Amino acid sequence: MTSHPPLLPDAITQRDALLIIDMQNDFMPGGALPVSGGPACLPTINRLTQYGFRAVIASQDWHPAQHCSFEEQGGPWPIHCLAGSFGAALVEGLNQQNITHIIRKGTALAADANSAFYDDHGTSTGLTALLRGLGITRVFLCGVALDVCVLATARHAVRDGFETYILRQASAGIGSLPASLHEERLILY
């Protein structure tokens, strides 16, 4: 019998938040921009939502039509996560009962936002202020895509002074993580 590593490095306190990144229909198989391992993350994420975090925060891509990230506008991605659409909704099967806040990103027509903290022009989503207002000092990130939006969010969390863990068991990517991560202050767990 093989043992699995614990989901978290130590006990959760009221100074901890779980950030669930972009677990949306368009990032699941059959969606506009699928991450193949996305559905496999759901059971682990759902277990994590029950661990007594001070806050459980889900991010959503929430794009207007003709968003700058879309291929038809010269961006790198197909049309995805249009505000209010089925594709932008949190995926069925995600335990939303313990989600305390939702942060919507990529809402400005001319700025992409991989990070749940800031868009590409540096405009805040309000996540840093929310976390500080709740007394959060440590964040645990999971979701999709590990090497894009989860990573961008983690980097901004570190930059804004939060002890930051990326939970690999609860994340899926479309590529690989950069080798330079060992030089950053975020922790892969």
Side-chain angles (χ1 to χ4, degrees), residues 50-115:
Q50 300 173 15
Y51 273 42
F53 287 95
R54 171 75 172 93
V56 176
I57 301 168
S59 73
Q60 287 177 284
D61 263 9
W62 202 254
H63 298 314
Q66 285 102 32
H67 188 254
C68 66
S69 72
F70 299 161
E71 290 169 336
E72 66 181 22
Q73 305 302 321
W77 310 114
I79 295 172
H80 65 283
C81 296
L82 288 172
S85 71
F86 173 79
L90 293 173
V91 67
E92 185 178 329
L94 176 63
N95 176 12
Q96 297 182 43
Q97 179 179 340
N98 294 323
I99 293 174
T100 58
H101 304 84
I102 293 177
I103 294 289
R104 292 187 169 149
K105 61 192 186 69
T107 60
L109 192 62
D112 201 4
N114 290 326
S115 169

Short mmCIF file of all heavy atoms in Angstrom, two decimals, residues 50-115:
data_model
loop_
_atom_site.label_atom_id
_atom_site.label_comp_id
_atom_site.label_asym_id
_atom_site.label_seq_id
_atom_site.Cartn_x
_atom_site.Cartn_y
_atom_site.Cartn_z
N GLN A 50 -12.70 22.12 2.87
CA GLN A 50 -13.26 21.75 4.18
C GLN A 50 -12.22 21.83 5.30
O GLN A 50 -12.49 21.41 6.42
CB GLN A 50 -13.82 20.33 4.10
CG GLN A 50 -14.93 20.22 3.08
CD GLN A 50 -15.38 18.79 2.86
OE1 GLN A 50 -15.08 17.90 3.65
NE2 GLN A 50 -16.11 18.57 1.79
N TYR A 51 -11.05 22.40 5.04
CA TYR A 51 -9.95 22.38 6.01
C TYR A 51 -9.94 23.54 7.00
O TYR A 51 -9.00 23.68 7.76
CB TYR A 51 -8.61 22.36 5.25
CG TYR A 51 -8.13 20.98 4.88
CD1 TYR A 51 -8.99 20.02 4.39
CD2 TYR A 51 -6.80 20.65 5.02
CE1 TYR A 51 -8.53 18.76 4.04
CE2 TYR A 51 -6.33 19.39 4.67
CZ TYR A 51 -7.20 18.46 4.18
OH TYR A 51 -6.73 17.22 3.84
N GLY A 52 -10.95 24.40 7.02
CA GLY A 52 -11.00 25.45 8.01
C GLY A 52 -10.21 26.70 7.68
O GLY A 52 -9.79 27.44 8.59
N PHE A 53 -10.01 26.98 6.40
CA PHE A 53 -9.35 28.22 5.99
C PHE A 53 -10.18 29.42 6.42
O PHE A 53 -11.42 29.35 6.44
CB PHE A 53 -9.18 28.26 4.46
CG PHE A 53 -8.13 27.34 3.93
CD1 PHE A 53 -8.46 26.07 3.48
CD2 PHE A 53 -6.81 27.74 3.88
CE1 PHE A 53 -7.49 25.21 2.97
CE2 PHE A 53 -5.83 26.90 3.37
CZ PHE A 53 -6.17 25.63 2.93
N ARG A 54 -9.53 30.53 6.73
CA ARG A 54 -10.24 31.77 7.05
C ARG A 54 -11.07 32.23 5.86
O ARG A 54 -12.17 32.74 6.01
CB ARG A 54 -9.22 32.86 7.45
CG ARG A 54 -9.79 34.26 7.59
CD ARG A 54 -10.58 34.37 8.88
NE ARG A 54 -10.98 35.74 9.12
CZ ARG A 54 -12.15 36.26 8.72
NH1 ARG A 54 -13.02 35.53 8.06
NH2 ARG A 54 -12.45 37.51 8.99
N ALA A 55 -10.52 32.03 4.66
CA ALA A 55 -11.23 32.38 3.43
C ALA A 55 -10.92 31.35 2.36
O ALA A 55 -9.80 30.85 2.28
CB ALA A 55 -10.82 33.77 2.94
N VAL A 56 -11.93 31.03 1.57
CA VAL A 56 -11.76 30.20 0.37
C VAL A 56 -12.23 31.07 -0.78
O VAL A 56 -13.41 31.44 -0.86
CB VAL A 56 -12.58 28.90 0.45
CG1 VAL A 56 -12.46 28.11 -0.86
CG2 VAL A 56 -12.14 28.05 1.64
N ILE A 57 -11.29 31.44 -1.65
CA ILE A 57 -11.55 32.43 -2.69
C ILE A 57 -11.36 31.77 -4.05
O ILE A 57 -10.31 31.19 -4.32
CB ILE A 57 -10.60 33.63 -2.53
CG1 ILE A 57 -10.80 34.26 -1.15
CG2 ILE A 57 -10.82 34.64 -3.66
CD1 ILE A 57 -9.74 35.26 -0.75
N ALA A 58 -12.38 31.87 -4.89
CA ALA A 58 -12.30 31.34 -6.25
C ALA A 58 -12.12 32.50 -7.22
O ALA A 58 -12.78 33.54 -7.09
CB ALA A 58 -13.56 30.56 -6.60
N SER A 59 -11.23 32.33 -8.19
CA SER A 59 -11.10 33.33 -9.25
C SER A 59 -11.81 32.82 -10.50
O SER A 59 -11.95 31.62 -10.71
CB SER A 59 -9.63 33.63 -9.56
OG SER A 59 -9.02 32.55 -10.25
N GLN A 60 -12.27 33.78 -11.28
CA GLN A 60 -12.89 33.46 -12.56
C GLN A 60 -12.37 34.43 -13.62
O GLN A 60 -12.39 35.65 -13.41
CB GLN A 60 -14.42 33.66 -12.50
CG GLN A 60 -15.16 32.61 -11.70
CD GLN A 60 -16.65 32.95 -11.66
OE1 GLN A 60 -17.05 33.84 -10.93
NE2 GLN A 60 -17.44 32.23 -12.45
N ASP A 61 -11.94 33.88 -14.77
CA ASP A 61 -11.79 34.71 -15.95
C ASP A 61 -13.20 35.20 -16.28
O ASP A 61 -14.16 34.41 -16.24
CB ASP A 61 -11.26 33.88 -17.13
CG ASP A 61 -9.75 33.98 -17.30
OD1 ASP A 61 -9.07 34.55 -16.43
OD2 ASP A 61 -9.26 33.46 -18.32
N TRP A 62 -13.34 36.48 -16.61
CA TRP A 62 -14.67 37.07 -16.80
C TRP A 62 -14.56 38.12 -17.90
O TRP A 62 -14.60 39.31 -17.66
CB TRP A 62 -15.15 37.67 -15.49
CG TRP A 62 -16.62 37.84 -15.36
CD1 TRP A 62 -17.30 39.03 -15.44
CD2 TRP A 62 -17.59 36.83 -15.10
NE1 TRP A 62 -18.64 38.79 -15.25
CE2 TRP A 62 -18.85 37.45 -15.04
CE3 TRP A 62 -17.52 35.44 -14.94
CZ2 TRP A 62 -20.02 36.75 -14.81
CZ3 TRP A 62 -18.69 34.74 -14.71
CH2 TRP A 62 -19.92 35.40 -14.64
N HIS A 63 -14.39 37.63 -19.14
CA HIS A 63 -13.99 38.50 -20.25
C HIS A 63 -15.17 39.13 -20.97
O HIS A 63 -16.17 38.45 -21.24
CB HIS A 63 -13.18 37.71 -21.27
CG HIS A 63 -11.90 37.15 -20.74
ND1 HIS A 63 -11.03 37.87 -19.96
CD2 HIS A 63 -11.34 35.91 -20.87
CE1 HIS A 63 -9.99 37.12 -19.65
NE2 HIS A 63 -10.16 35.92 -20.19
N PRO A 64 -15.01 40.40 -21.37
CA PRO A 64 -15.99 41.01 -22.28
C PRO A 64 -15.76 40.48 -23.70
O PRO A 64 -14.69 39.97 -24.01
CB PRO A 64 -15.67 42.50 -22.20
CG PRO A 64 -14.21 42.56 -21.84
CD PRO A 64 -13.95 41.34 -20.99
N ALA A 65 -16.78 40.62 -24.54
CA ALA A 65 -16.62 40.27 -25.96
C ALA A 65 -15.51 41.15 -26.54
O ALA A 65 -15.29 42.26 -26.08
CB ALA A 65 -17.93 40.49 -26.70
N GLN A 66 -14.79 40.64 -27.50
CA GLN A 66 -13.65 41.32 -28.12
C GLN A 66 -12.52 41.60 -27.14
O GLN A 66 -11.79 42.59 -27.28
CB GLN A 66 -14.06 42.62 -28.82
CG GLN A 66 -14.78 42.39 -30.12
CD GLN A 66 -16.27 42.58 -29.99
OE1 GLN A 66 -16.74 43.39 -29.21
NE2 GLN A 66 -17.03 41.81 -30.75
N HIS A 67 -12.36 40.74 -26.14
CA HIS A 67 -11.26 40.92 -25.17
C HIS A 67 -9.92 40.80 -25.89
O HIS A 67 -9.76 40.02 -26.83
CB HIS A 67 -11.37 39.86 -24.06
CG HIS A 67 -10.42 40.10 -22.95
ND1 HIS A 67 -9.29 39.34 -22.76
CD2 HIS A 67 -10.42 41.02 -21.96
CE1 HIS A 67 -8.64 39.78 -21.71
NE2 HIS A 67 -9.30 40.80 -21.19
N CYS A 68 -8.95 41.55 -25.42
CA CYS A 68 -7.63 41.61 -26.07
C CYS A 68 -6.90 40.28 -26.10
O CYS A 68 -6.00 40.08 -26.91
CB CYS A 68 -6.76 42.67 -25.40
SG CYS A 68 -6.32 42.28 -23.69
N SER A 69 -7.25 39.34 -25.23
CA SER A 69 -6.56 38.05 -25.19
C SER A 69 -7.06 37.08 -26.27
O SER A 69 -6.45 36.04 -26.49
CB SER A 69 -6.71 37.39 -23.82
OG SER A 69 -8.05 36.93 -23.63
N PHE A 70 -8.15 37.43 -26.94
CA PHE A 70 -8.73 36.53 -27.94
C PHE A 70 -7.96 36.60 -29.25
O PHE A 70 -7.55 37.68 -29.69
CB PHE A 70 -10.21 36.86 -28.18
CG PHE A 70 -11.09 36.71 -26.97
CD1 PHE A 70 -12.32 37.34 -26.93
CD2 PHE A 70 -10.70 35.95 -25.86
CE1 PHE A 70 -13.15 37.21 -25.83
CE2 PHE A 70 -11.53 35.82 -24.76
CZ PHE A 70 -12.76 36.46 -24.74
N GLU A 71 -7.82 35.47 -29.91
CA GLU A 71 -7.11 35.39 -31.19
C GLU A 71 -7.64 36.39 -32.21
O GLU A 71 -6.86 37.03 -32.92
CB GLU A 71 -7.20 33.97 -31.76
CG GLU A 71 -6.42 32.95 -30.99
CD GLU A 71 -6.72 31.51 -31.38
OE1 GLU A 71 -7.83 31.24 -31.91
OE2 GLU A 71 -5.85 30.67 -31.15
N GLU A 72 -8.95 36.55 -32.27
CA GLU A 72 -9.54 37.47 -33.25
C GLU A 72 -9.15 38.93 -33.00
O GLU A 72 -9.28 39.78 -33.87
CB GLU A 72 -11.06 37.32 -33.32
CG GLU A 72 -11.76 37.74 -32.05
CD GLU A 72 -13.28 37.57 -32.12
OE1 GLU A 72 -13.76 36.78 -32.94
OE2 GLU A 72 -13.95 38.23 -31.33
N GLN A 73 -8.66 39.21 -31.79
CA GLN A 73 -8.19 40.56 -31.45
C GLN A 73 -6.66 40.64 -31.45
O GLN A 73 -6.08 41.61 -30.98
CB GLN A 73 -8.71 40.97 -30.06
CG GLN A 73 -10.21 40.89 -29.90
CD GLN A 73 -10.97 41.74 -30.89
OE1 GLN A 73 -10.55 42.84 -31.22
NE2 GLN A 73 -12.06 41.20 -31.43
N GLY A 74 -6.01 39.55 -31.90
CA GLY A 74 -4.55 39.51 -31.94
C GLY A 74 -3.93 38.89 -30.70
O GLY A 74 -2.71 38.87 -30.55
N GLY A 75 -4.75 38.37 -29.80
CA GLY A 75 -4.26 37.73 -28.58
C GLY A 75 -3.90 36.27 -28.81
O GLY A 75 -4.09 35.74 -29.91
N PRO A 76 -3.42 35.58 -27.77
CA PRO A 76 -2.94 34.21 -27.93
C PRO A 76 -4.01 33.12 -27.76
O PRO A 76 -3.74 31.96 -28.07
CB PRO A 76 -1.90 34.08 -26.82
CG PRO A 76 -2.38 35.00 -25.75
CD PRO A 76 -3.04 36.15 -26.47
N TRP A 77 -5.21 33.46 -27.28
CA TRP A 77 -6.17 32.43 -26.89
C TRP A 77 -7.46 32.48 -27.71
O TRP A 77 -7.88 33.54 -28.15
CB TRP A 77 -6.55 32.59 -25.42
CG TRP A 77 -5.39 32.72 -24.48
CD1 TRP A 77 -5.05 33.81 -23.75
CD2 TRP A 77 -4.42 31.72 -24.16
NE1 TRP A 77 -3.93 33.55 -22.99
CE2 TRP A 77 -3.51 32.27 -23.23
CE3 TRP A 77 -4.21 30.40 -24.58
CZ2 TRP A 77 -2.44 31.56 -22.70
CZ3 TRP A 77 -3.13 29.69 -24.06
CH2 TRP A 77 -2.27 30.27 -23.14
N PRO A 78 -8.12 31.33 -27.86
CA PRO A 78 -9.46 31.36 -28.47
C PRO A 78 -10.43 32.07 -27.52
O PRO A 78 -10.13 32.26 -26.34
CB PRO A 78 -9.81 29.87 -28.61
CG PRO A 78 -8.97 29.16 -27.62
CD PRO A 78 -7.71 29.98 -27.47
N ILE A 79 -11.58 32.43 -28.04
CA ILE A 79 -12.60 33.06 -27.20
C ILE A 79 -12.95 32.11 -26.06
O ILE A 79 -13.23 30.92 -26.29
CB ILE A 79 -13.85 33.40 -28.03
CG1 ILE A 79 -13.51 34.47 -29.07
CG2 ILE A 79 -14.99 33.86 -27.12
CD1 ILE A 79 -14.61 34.74 -30.07
N HIS A 80 -12.90 32.62 -24.82
CA HIS A 80 -13.18 31.79 -23.65
C HIS A 80 -13.70 32.66 -22.51
O HIS A 80 -13.43 33.86 -22.46
CB HIS A 80 -11.93 31.02 -23.20
CG HIS A 80 -10.83 31.92 -22.72
ND1 HIS A 80 -10.02 32.64 -23.58
CD2 HIS A 80 -10.43 32.23 -21.46
CE1 HIS A 80 -9.16 33.35 -22.88
NE2 HIS A 80 -9.38 33.14 -21.59
N CYS A 81 -14.43 32.06 -21.61
CA CYS A 81 -14.90 32.68 -20.36
C CYS A 81 -15.54 34.05 -20.59
O CYS A 81 -15.23 35.02 -19.89
CB CYS A 81 -13.75 32.77 -19.36
SG CYS A 81 -13.13 31.16 -18.85
N LEU A 82 -16.45 34.12 -21.56
CA LEU A 82 -17.20 35.35 -21.76
C LEU A 82 -18.07 35.61 -20.53
O LEU A 82 -18.76 34.70 -20.03
CB LEU A 82 -18.08 35.26 -23.01
CG LEU A 82 -17.33 35.29 -24.34
CD1 LEU A 82 -18.28 34.99 -25.49
CD2 LEU A 82 -16.64 36.63 -24.55
N ALA A 83 -18.03 36.82 -20.02
CA ALA A 83 -18.76 37.18 -18.81
C ALA A 83 -20.21 36.72 -18.88
O ALA A 83 -20.91 36.98 -19.85
CB ALA A 83 -18.70 38.69 -18.61
N GLY A 84 -20.63 35.99 -17.86
CA GLY A 84 -22.00 35.53 -17.77
C GLY A 84 -22.32 34.27 -18.54
O GLY A 84 -23.44 33.76 -18.46
N SER A 85 -21.36 33.73 -19.29
CA SER A 85 -21.63 32.55 -20.12
C SER A 85 -21.45 31.26 -19.32
O SER A 85 -20.87 31.24 -18.24
CB SER A 85 -20.68 32.53 -21.32
OG SER A 85 -19.35 32.25 -20.90
N PHE A 86 -21.92 30.16 -19.91
CA PHE A 86 -21.71 28.84 -19.32
C PHE A 86 -20.23 28.55 -19.17
O PHE A 86 -19.78 28.00 -18.17
CB PHE A 86 -22.38 27.76 -20.18
CG PHE A 86 -22.08 26.36 -19.72
CD1 PHE A 86 -22.75 25.81 -18.64
CD2 PHE A 86 -21.10 25.61 -20.35
CE1 PHE A 86 -22.45 24.52 -18.20
CE2 PHE A 86 -20.80 24.32 -19.93
CZ PHE A 86 -21.49 23.78 -18.84
N GLY A 87 -19.43 28.93 -20.17
CA GLY A 87 -17.99 28.69 -20.13
C GLY A 87 -17.30 29.40 -18.99
O GLY A 87 -16.28 28.93 -18.47
N ALA A 88 -17.82 30.54 -18.55
CA ALA A 88 -17.21 31.30 -17.46
C ALA A 88 -17.66 30.82 -16.08
O ALA A 88 -17.04 31.17 -15.07
CB ALA A 88 -17.55 32.78 -17.61
N ALA A 89 -18.70 30.00 -16.03
CA ALA A 89 -19.21 29.52 -14.74
C ALA A 89 -18.22 28.57 -14.08
O ALA A 89 -17.46 27.87 -14.75
CB ALA A 89 -20.55 28.81 -14.96
N LEU A 90 -18.23 28.56 -12.76
CA LEU A 90 -17.42 27.58 -12.03
C LEU A 90 -17.91 26.19 -12.40
O LEU A 90 -19.11 25.95 -12.56
CB LEU A 90 -17.52 27.82 -10.52
CG LEU A 90 -16.90 29.13 -10.04
CD1 LEU A 90 -17.21 29.35 -8.56
CD2 LEU A 90 -15.40 29.16 -10.27
N VAL A 91 -16.97 25.27 -12.53
CA VAL A 91 -17.28 23.94 -13.02
C VAL A 91 -18.20 23.19 -12.07
O VAL A 91 -18.08 23.29 -10.85
CB VAL A 91 -15.97 23.15 -13.29
CG1 VAL A 91 -15.23 22.84 -12.00
CG2 VAL A 91 -16.24 21.88 -14.07
N GLU A 92 -19.14 22.46 -12.66
CA GLU A 92 -20.01 21.61 -11.87
C GLU A 92 -19.15 20.58 -11.16
O GLU A 92 -18.19 20.07 -11.72
CB GLU A 92 -21.02 20.91 -12.79
CG GLU A 92 -22.04 20.09 -12.04
CD GLU A 92 -23.06 19.45 -12.96
OE1 GLU A 92 -23.36 20.03 -14.02
OE2 GLU A 92 -23.53 18.36 -12.61
N GLY A 93 -19.45 20.30 -9.95
CA GLY A 93 -18.65 19.37 -9.18
C GLY A 93 -17.71 20.05 -8.22
O GLY A 93 -17.19 19.43 -7.30
N LEU A 94 -17.47 21.35 -8.42
CA LEU A 94 -16.67 22.11 -7.46
C LEU A 94 -17.55 22.43 -6.26
O LEU A 94 -18.64 22.98 -6.41
CB LEU A 94 -16.16 23.41 -8.09
CG LEU A 94 -15.37 24.34 -7.16
CD1 LEU A 94 -14.08 23.67 -6.69
CD2 LEU A 94 -15.05 25.64 -7.88
N ASN A 95 -17.07 22.07 -5.07
CA ASN A 95 -17.82 22.36 -3.84
C ASN A 95 -17.79 23.87 -3.59
O ASN A 95 -16.80 24.41 -3.13
CB ASN A 95 -17.20 21.62 -2.66
CG ASN A 95 -17.88 21.95 -1.35
OD1 ASN A 95 -18.94 22.57 -1.32
ND2 ASN A 95 -17.27 21.54 -0.26
N GLN A 96 -18.89 24.53 -3.92
CA GLN A 96 -18.96 25.98 -3.76
C GLN A 96 -19.51 26.39 -2.40
O GLN A 96 -19.49 27.58 -2.05
CB GLN A 96 -19.81 26.58 -4.88
CG GLN A 96 -19.17 26.35 -6.24
CD GLN A 96 -19.95 26.99 -7.36
OE1 GLN A 96 -20.41 28.12 -7.24
NE2 GLN A 96 -20.11 26.26 -8.46
N GLN A 97 -19.95 25.44 -1.62
CA GLN A 97 -20.55 25.73 -0.32
C GLN A 97 -19.60 26.50 0.60
O GLN A 97 -20.03 27.37 1.35
CB GLN A 97 -20.96 24.41 0.35
CG GLN A 97 -21.57 24.55 1.71
CD GLN A 97 -21.98 23.20 2.26
OE1 GLN A 97 -22.14 22.23 1.54
NE2 GLN A 97 -22.13 23.13 3.57
N ASN A 98 -18.30 26.19 0.55
CA ASN A 98 -17.35 26.84 1.45
C ASN A 98 -16.58 27.99 0.79
O ASN A 98 -15.68 28.55 1.41
CB ASN A 98 -16.37 25.80 2.00
CG ASN A 98 -17.07 24.81 2.89
OD1 ASN A 98 -17.98 25.15 3.62
ND2 ASN A 98 -16.67 23.55 2.81
N ILE A 99 -16.92 28.33 -0.45
CA ILE A 99 -16.29 29.48 -1.10
C ILE A 99 -16.86 30.74 -0.47
O ILE A 99 -18.06 30.95 -0.44
CB ILE A 99 -16.50 29.46 -2.62
CG1 ILE A 99 -15.74 28.27 -3.24
CG2 ILE A 99 -16.05 30.77 -3.26
CD1 ILE A 99 -15.98 28.05 -4.71
N THR A 100 -15.96 31.57 0.06
CA THR A 100 -16.39 32.78 0.76
C THR A 100 -16.38 34.01 -0.13
O THR A 100 -17.10 34.98 0.15
CB THR A 100 -15.49 33.04 1.99
OG1 THR A 100 -14.13 33.15 1.56
CG2 THR A 100 -15.61 31.90 3.01
N HIS A 101 -15.55 34.01 -1.18
CA HIS A 101 -15.43 35.17 -2.07
C HIS A 101 -15.10 34.70 -3.48
O HIS A 101 -14.45 33.67 -3.65
CB HIS A 101 -14.29 36.09 -1.61
CG HIS A 101 -14.42 36.58 -0.21
ND1 HIS A 101 -13.99 35.85 0.88
CD2 HIS A 101 -14.92 37.74 0.29
CE1 HIS A 101 -14.23 36.52 1.98
NE2 HIS A 101 -14.79 37.67 1.66
N ILE A 102 -15.53 35.50 -4.46
CA ILE A 102 -15.18 35.26 -5.86
C ILE A 102 -14.50 36.52 -6.38
O ILE A 102 -15.00 37.64 -6.18
CB ILE A 102 -16.41 34.89 -6.71
CG1 ILE A 102 -16.94 33.53 -6.27
CG2 ILE A 102 -16.06 34.90 -8.20
CD1 ILE A 102 -18.19 33.07 -6.98
N ILE A 103 -13.36 36.33 -7.03
CA ILE A 103 -12.62 37.42 -7.67
C ILE A 103 -12.72 37.21 -9.18
O ILE A 103 -12.35 36.15 -9.69
CB ILE A 103 -11.13 37.42 -7.24
CG1 ILE A 103 -10.99 37.72 -5.75
CG2 ILE A 103 -10.31 38.38 -8.09
CD1 ILE A 103 -11.30 39.14 -5.35
N ARG A 104 -13.20 38.21 -9.88
CA ARG A 104 -13.29 38.12 -11.34
C ARG A 104 -12.15 38.92 -11.95
O ARG A 104 -11.86 40.03 -11.51
CB ARG A 104 -14.66 38.60 -11.81
CG ARG A 104 -15.72 37.61 -11.34
CD ARG A 104 -17.07 37.89 -11.89
NE ARG A 104 -17.94 36.76 -11.61
CZ ARG A 104 -19.25 36.88 -11.40
NH1 ARG A 104 -19.83 38.06 -11.48
NH2 ARG A 104 -19.96 35.80 -11.16
N LYS A 105 -11.53 38.33 -12.95
CA LYS A 105 -10.34 38.94 -13.56
C LYS A 105 -10.48 38.95 -15.07
O LYS A 105 -11.30 38.22 -15.63
CB LYS A 105 -9.08 38.19 -13.12
CG LYS A 105 -9.03 36.72 -13.52
CD LYS A 105 -7.90 36.01 -12.80
CE LYS A 105 -7.70 34.59 -13.27
NZ LYS A 105 -7.18 34.44 -14.61
N GLY A 106 -9.67 39.79 -15.72
CA GLY A 106 -9.75 39.91 -17.16
C GLY A 106 -11.01 40.62 -17.61
O GLY A 106 -11.53 40.37 -18.69
N THR A 107 -11.51 41.52 -16.77
CA THR A 107 -12.77 42.20 -17.05
C THR A 107 -12.59 43.45 -17.92
O THR A 107 -13.56 43.93 -18.50
CB THR A 107 -13.46 42.61 -15.74
OG1 THR A 107 -12.59 43.48 -15.01
CG2 THR A 107 -13.78 41.39 -14.88
N ALA A 108 -11.38 43.97 -18.00
CA ALA A 108 -11.12 45.16 -18.84
C ALA A 108 -10.86 44.71 -20.27
O ALA A 108 -10.12 43.75 -20.50
CB ALA A 108 -9.93 45.93 -18.30
N LEU A 109 -11.43 45.40 -21.21
CA LEU A 109 -11.34 45.03 -22.62
C LEU A 109 -9.89 44.98 -23.11
O LEU A 109 -9.51 44.08 -23.86
CB LEU A 109 -12.14 46.04 -23.45
CG LEU A 109 -12.40 45.69 -24.90
CD1 LEU A 109 -13.23 44.42 -25.02
CD2 LEU A 109 -13.11 46.85 -25.58
N ALA A 110 -9.06 45.92 -22.66
CA ALA A 110 -7.71 46.07 -23.23
C ALA A 110 -6.60 45.56 -22.33
O ALA A 110 -5.44 45.90 -22.54
CB ALA A 110 -7.48 47.54 -23.57
N ALA A 111 -6.93 44.76 -21.31
CA ALA A 111 -5.88 44.22 -20.42
C ALA A 111 -6.19 42.78 -20.08
O ALA A 111 -7.28 42.47 -19.60
CB ALA A 111 -5.78 45.05 -19.15
N ASP A 112 -5.23 41.90 -20.32
CA ASP A 112 -5.40 40.51 -19.91
C ASP A 112 -5.06 40.41 -18.43
O ASP A 112 -4.46 41.31 -17.85
CB ASP A 112 -4.50 39.59 -20.74
CG ASP A 112 -4.99 38.15 -20.73
OD1 ASP A 112 -6.07 37.87 -20.14
OD2 ASP A 112 -4.31 37.29 -21.31
N ALA A 113 -5.44 39.30 -17.83
CA ALA A 113 -5.18 39.11 -16.40
C ALA A 113 -5.03 37.63 -16.11
O ALA A 113 -6.01 36.95 -15.84
CB ALA A 113 -6.31 39.71 -15.56
N ASN A 114 -3.80 37.14 -16.17
CA ASN A 114 -3.57 35.76 -15.75
C ASN A 114 -3.65 35.66 -14.24
O ASN A 114 -4.12 34.68 -13.69
CB ASN A 114 -2.21 35.27 -16.25
CG ASN A 114 -2.19 35.07 -17.75
OD1 ASN A 114 -3.19 34.68 -18.34
ND2 ASN A 114 -1.06 35.34 -18.37
N SER A 115 -3.17 36.67 -13.54
CA SER A 115 -3.14 36.68 -12.08
C SER A 115 -4.50 37.09 -11.50
O SER A 115 -5.18 37.96 -12.04
CB SER A 115 -2.08 37.68 -11.60
OG SER A 115 -2.19 37.91 -10.21
#
